[in-house]
Amino acid sequence: MTCFDNSHDHRGHGPYRVTAKDRRARLSSESPIPVVQACITRAWSSSSSTGRIRWERLTPARFTASTKSVRPVKGLSEVEHLDRAQAGFEHFDRAHLKAWLVWMREQRGYAPRTITLRLTAIKTFLAYASQEDITLIALSQAAKTLRAPASPRTPIEYLTEQQTRAVLAAHVGATAKSRRNRMLMILLYDTAARVSEITDLTLGDLVLTPPGHLTLTGKRNKTRTVPITDKTIEHLRVYLYEFHPGHARLPTTRPVFYSLHDGQPTRLSSDTVAAVLKSAARTARSSCPTVPENIHCHMLRKTKAMDLYQHGIPLPIIMRLLGHENTSTTAAFYAFATIDMMRAAVNAATPAITGSPAEPLTQDTLHSLYDLR
């Protein structure tokens, strides 16, 4: 793991590289709680944003300021009346961490996602500490077995067929910008792509000859091939003719969707795509008032996946289309669709009840029914 000290080297050239020897010296020379609390603070702030850790040496003043946030030590001080200066690695065993999880859930009322993020920070810190001190491996392994409370599963948000049609038809193509935005919405829905995958799309990623498809670059730079419909290919040909004339001779790295900056095509930002969708939704509400106010780009991705699922496309195929690495991710995500589909099937298989309510059954009739085998 690469570490950087917050101080400067003797030449004043900024942060210098900290060796493993330096880190071990810190663990052995400093009192337990500053080391624990400082590293937890850095692990928490990093893991909750970028997912990467940048360890920094804290001065006493900066350490004091960093300990004000909620950590296991604070839970110990409130529940067990333990002074922070007395806390050490022995207070990060499984029993104390389980009590801390209960404290966050029951005493502080934190949401499951918040608890999960903070538990992840602790696990990250203990994994780091165990690499520096072999005696802490047991603590790290015990912490890895802990699980945060599961978040309640809620039905996913997606658009109905009428809402989808209204949103995709919102940009009528009266101007060049409107035509670009219309193509953007069509491709965002048809490919079920993430916003970043659409904004990163280049001319080299498009294949319009049969079978038409495009290549999306997703998380961790993993690529996947996504088929596109014949209708979308027709739209793309018209779009390329206008916005990328002679596209066969243009650089393959040229962004498909762009705005001009200093005369050069620059890929759109995610905020721009979100604004385009919001604008389409406002227009669509004139013909379809049920279009949700909180519409967002990921909702189009979910809508496409739900449309495929409700038309009987197997989950493994949807998983590949979405770029999910684990089938369980897709299965859990669209579990609620199964309930809706089952309800529709039951309603379709049940004859409509149009007659008047039956008369209450007498006790003799009930006994006769109960005797049936």
Side-chain angles (χ1 to χ4, degrees), residues 62-134:
R62 293 178 63 193
F63 160 72
T64 302
S66 70
T67 57
K68 293 181 179 179
S69 57
V70 178
R71 299 291 179 262
V73 177
K74 185 173 181 180
L76 289 170
S77 63
E78 290 192 13
V79 178
E80 301 185 11
H81 307 290
L82 177 71
D83 187 80
R84 292 190 179 193
Q86 299 173 348
F89 281 105
E90 65 272 15
H91 296 107
F92 285 81
D93 59 7
R94 181 180 173 86
H96 281 97
L97 291 180
K98 288 179 67 175
W100 174 57
L101 295 177
V102 173
W103 173 78
M104 286 193 292
R105 183 178 68 252
E106 298 181 357
Q107 301 297 322
R108 308 297 293 187
Y110 291 152
R113 180 174 175 81
T114 300
I115 298 176
T116 299
L117 286 173
R118 298 193 172 187
L119 179 60
T120 300
I122 295 301
K123 292 179 179 179
T124 303
F125 162 69
L126 290 177
Y128 162 77
S130 67
Q131 293 176 359
E132 304 301 320
D133 187 344
I134 194 173

